[in-house]
Amino acid sequence: MSDKIGLFTGSFDPMTNGHLDIIERASKLFDKLYVGVFYNPHKQGFLPVENRKRAVEKAVAHLDNVEVLASHDQLVVDVARRLGAKTLVRGLRNATDLQYESSFDYYNHQLAPEIETIYLYSRPEHLYISSSAVRELLKFGQEIQQYVPNSVVEELEHEEKTRWPLYVILALVVTFLAFVVPLPYYIEVPGGAEDIRQVLKVNETEDTEAGAYQFVTVGIRHATLSHLVYAWLTPFTDIRSAKETTGGSTDAEFMRINQFYMQTSQNMAKYQGLKTAGKDIELKYLGVYVLTVTDNSTFKGILNIADTVTAVNDKTFDSSKDLVDYVNSQQLGDTVKVTYEEDGKVKSAEGKIITLENGKNGIGIGLIDRTEVTSDIPIRFSTAGIGGPSAGLMFSLAIYTQIADPGLRNGRVVAGTGTIDRDGNVGDIGGIDKKVVAASRQGANIFFAPDNPVTEEAKKADPNAKSNYETALEAAKTIKTEMKIVPVKTLQDAIDYLKNNP
């Protein structure tokens, strides 16, 4: 029987007690565990790689089945194959780590499907310890013994201990906490503007035309005190409460919700792109995904995130709008029967109509269409780690262009944002000012912005509320970009603009 071999990698710059705990626990799962000190020879680290490797070797000397090696300019999966390791080991401290690791897991699996990854969750006492935080403490001459193995202290040659006045120690503790302790806030910053060809393949062919279509993102980070200070001092950076950002969901639930949004956005983009190109495609409505359940809903504890509602009072619908309209029409206190799918099983439950925050009647769930598209033209998305519905317009435009009019871009870099529905309408999104900044930084010539009037409900909540297009114009003026902001209400508006303004 062959040995079970694992590989745990990191920069270990420096190694922390959190790293050591993961190694000790992982060593019990394998006959042989390799610990790889990965480094970039073209970039100077905090500690030379020789010191890092020696510190790790000393720290794990009591583990007979652990061997330490150093590597550079190699993919982790290539090293694993060379060593005969069939499993990669990763440590997780929080949902942010999971989101970060998921993209690597996706590509590792694409490159080496025979290699699996296991995740070990950090002990509570290690949740806020990181190499970067330790380096920050060292920068200010503070003791780090409680955060790292003794071998690291030895390698750092910190033999002399300096006594600092109490106020300096307190200041450094506050600084440390400011960088590592998450607060119940998030910050939104300009994200990236990515070439859609990196995530979309239509009909198994490459889009080789000049120019590019870009989908634009907003960066969302769980805030520490240092992040909040940064946000207060930096334009186009907003602070949001956790409730505003996630609706009360956990980080993992919030990520899952945004993946549902992305899935629906992609299906609508396939439908609109091919339909507008004159190709046959079928869009089947399967119900609505449950995204949230309000605390006052009588379905709280019955319906859960990812359940699919397929009928209300045994009535089926052709869209989520039809379902919502029907539920809104019921009287307050009425009993309604909801049919839903949970883990592949069809179930039903009864509850009461309640008053929602917007004053309308409903059952108290957040939802989004669950759809399925069928076409003879294969369209494949690779958007692991990316969520939300706002790329619908640009995905639709990219599909249409490659099928119907490959020269439509005419060498231009075209960015934009907005949801897309089954009728080709472009919907509003959040954070458009940050997306304008991101697109301008990446050299876009044109930026498509949703041009819908501000609703009466939005005006009532904020008399100064502006449309997406108006907000985008203001942002472009502020940063003095030459990028053209173009208002669109439909996918056809975007196509017509590119055709009429070559």
Side-chain angles (χ1 to χ4, degrees):
M1 185 173 180
S2 60
D3 290 345
K4 291 191 297 181
I5 302 175
L7 173 61
F8 177 54
T9 64
S11 62
F12 304 104
D13 192 21
M15 185 186 200
T16 69
N17 288 338
H19 292 136
L20 180 57
D21 176 64
I22 295 295
I23 293 170
E24 289 176 336
R25 290 156 58 195
S27 70
K28 300 174 184 178
L29 304 177
F30 300 96
D31 300 307
K32 181 76 173 182
L33 177 67
Y34 288 99
V35 177
V37 181
F38 276 47
Y39 67 100
N40 183 348
H42 309 294
K43 182 179 179 181
Q44 184 176 359
F46 181 75
L47 280 176
V49 67
E50 296 82 5
N51 296 75
R52 285 186 250 166
K53 183 172 181 288
R54 191 161 50 242
V56 176
E57 287 174 334
K58 291 179 181 178
V60 302
H62 62 293
L63 303 171
D64 294 335
N65 65 332
V66 175
E67 181 177 334
V68 182
L69 56 90
S71 181
H72 66 87
D73 293 340
Q74 283 185 289
L75 294 173
V76 172
V77 290
D78 290 337
V79 174
R81 280 171 169 160
R82 175 167 59 82
L83 299 172
K86 296 297 184 183
T87 306
L88 303 179
V89 179
R90 305 301 299 163
L92 296 177
R93 290 170 298 173
N94 49 44
T96 303
D97 282 357
L98 178 59
Q99 185 174 10
Y100 176 78
E101 292 287 348
S102 64
S103 62
F104 290 103
D105 181 71
Y106 171 81
Y107 286 109
N108 285 340
H109 189 69
Q110 294 293 310
L111 294 169
E114 77 279 10
I115 296 177
E116 293 293 342
T117 302
I118 64 170
Y119 298 94
L120 298 182
Y121 195 69
S122 294
R123 304 284 191 195
E125 62 267 26
H126 299 145
L127 287 177
Y128 301 120
I129 299 176
S130 66
S131 296
S132 59
V134 170
R135 292 197 299 270
E136 190 72 14
L137 288 174
L138 287 171
K139 177 181 176 182
F140 290 97
Q142 295 304 296
E143 296 180 2
I144 61 167
Q145 285 90 336
Q146 60 184 311
Y147 308 118
V148 301
N150 290 334
S151 59
V152 172
V153 179
E154 292 172 4
E155 288 298 327
L156 290 167
E157 298 180 344
H158 267 213
E159 297 178 355
E160 295 183 5
K161 299 178 181 179
T162 306
R163 293 179 176 266
W164 291 82
L166 181 61
Y167 72 92
V168 175
I169 295 176
L170 292 175
L172 290 173
V173 169
V174 170
T175 301
F176 174 69
L177 295 176
F179 276 94
V180 299
V181 177
L183 301 174
Y185 294 95
Y186 288 76
I187 63 168
E188 294 181 357
V189 299
E194 306 297 335
D195 190 330
I196 289 178
R197 287 175 288 200
Q198 296 178 1
V199 301
L200 170 66
K201 179 164 281 191
V202 178
N203 208 19
E204 299 301 333
T205 59
E206 299 290 340
D207 178 356
T208 58
E209 294 291 327
Y213 287 131
Q214 294 178 339
F215 70 99
V216 194
T217 61
V218 172
I220 300 177
R221 302 172 186 170
H222 207 152
T224 63
L225 180 59
S226 62
H227 285 134
L228 296 183
V229 173
Y230 170 83
W232 286 323
L233 299 175
T234 308
F236 301 107
T237 304
D238 293 334
I239 301 170
R240 307 280 186 197
S241 69
K243 180 70 174 178
E244 286 178 296
T245 304
T246 68
S249 304
T250 65
D251 285 351
E253 289 171 341
F254 181 61
M255 182 166 53
R256 194 176 185 188
I257 288 168
N258 275 288
Q259 288 170 346
F260 287 140
Y261 275 122
M262 175 60 78
Q263 178 184 330
T264 299
S265 173
Q266 290 172 359
N267 283 343
M268 287 298 179
K270 292 176 184 178
Y271 179 72
Q272 272 304 314
L274 291 178
K275 177 184 174 184
T276 307
K279 302 298 181 181
D280 291 333
I281 184 169
E282 179 184 358
L283 177 68
K284 186 177 181 182
Y285 175 75
L286 303 178
V288 295
Y289 281 120
V290 175
L291 301 183
T292 58
V293 183
T294 61
D295 290 336
N296 63 333
S297 172
T298 58
F299 290 94
K300 183 79 170 179
I302 299 173
L303 295 175
N304 299 290
I305 291 175
D307 289 350
T308 300
V309 174
T310 57
V312 178
N313 289 340
D314 295 322
K315 295 180 181 291
T316 57
F317 306 91
D318 294 326
S319 70
S320 58
K321 181 181 182 303
D322 293 342
L323 184 152
V324 170
D325 288 344
Y326 174 77
V327 173
N328 288 162
S329 70
Q330 306 303 297
Q331 298 299 310
L332 184 64
D334 281 356
T335 299
V336 291
K337 173 187 174 184
V338 170
T339 304
Y340 62 100
E341 293 181 9
E342 181 181 63
D343 297 328
K345 299 179 181 178
V346 177
K347 300 180 179 181
S348 64
E350 290 187 347
K352 298 289 187 180
I353 295 292
I354 63 173
T355 300
L356 306 177
E357 286 186 357
N358 61 9
K360 296 181 180 180
N361 291 343
I363 59 175
I365 66 171
L367 49 82
I368 189 174
D369 286 354
R370 179 182 176 185
T371 56
E372 182 179 84
V373 291
T374 305
S375 171
D376 293 334
I377 299 175
I379 297 175
R380 179 161 47 87
F381 287 94
S382 303
T383 52
I386 305 172
S390 64
L393 167 64
M394 297 308 296
F395 285 161
S396 302
L397 185 58
I399 294 169
Y400 168 84
T401 299
Q402 197 165 343
I403 294 294
D405 192 354
L408 183 61
R409 282 195 306 267
N410 196 25
R412 293 168 289 187
V413 178
V414 182
T417 190
T419 63
I420 200 77
D421 68 13
R422 64 174 59 203
D423 297 318
N425 298 310
V426 178
D428 293 332
I429 53 87
I432 194 168
D433 55 335
K434 299 160 197 63
K435 294 188 175 185
V436 168
V437 174
S440 179
R441 288 174 178 172
Q442 292 300 314
N445 310 118
I446 296 168
F447 186 94
F448 288 126
D451 185 26
N452 301 305
V454 179
T455 64
E456 291 301 320
E457 186 177 337
K459 287 181 179 178
K460 188 175 181 180
D462 179 7
N464 298 316
K466 296 180 176 63
S467 70
N468 270 190
Y469 174 57
E470 291 170 334
T471 303
L473 278 178
E474 284 189 2
K477 183 178 180 181
T478 299
I479 64 176
K480 300 179 181 178
T481 180
E482 295 182 359
M483 181 175 66
K484 175 72 173 177
I485 308 297
V486 179
V488 292
K489 288 182 169 64
T490 65
L491 169 61
Q492 192 62 51
D493 287 347
I495 295 170
D496 290 344
Y497 178 86
L498 294 177
K499 284 183 177 179
N500 297 330
N501 299 272

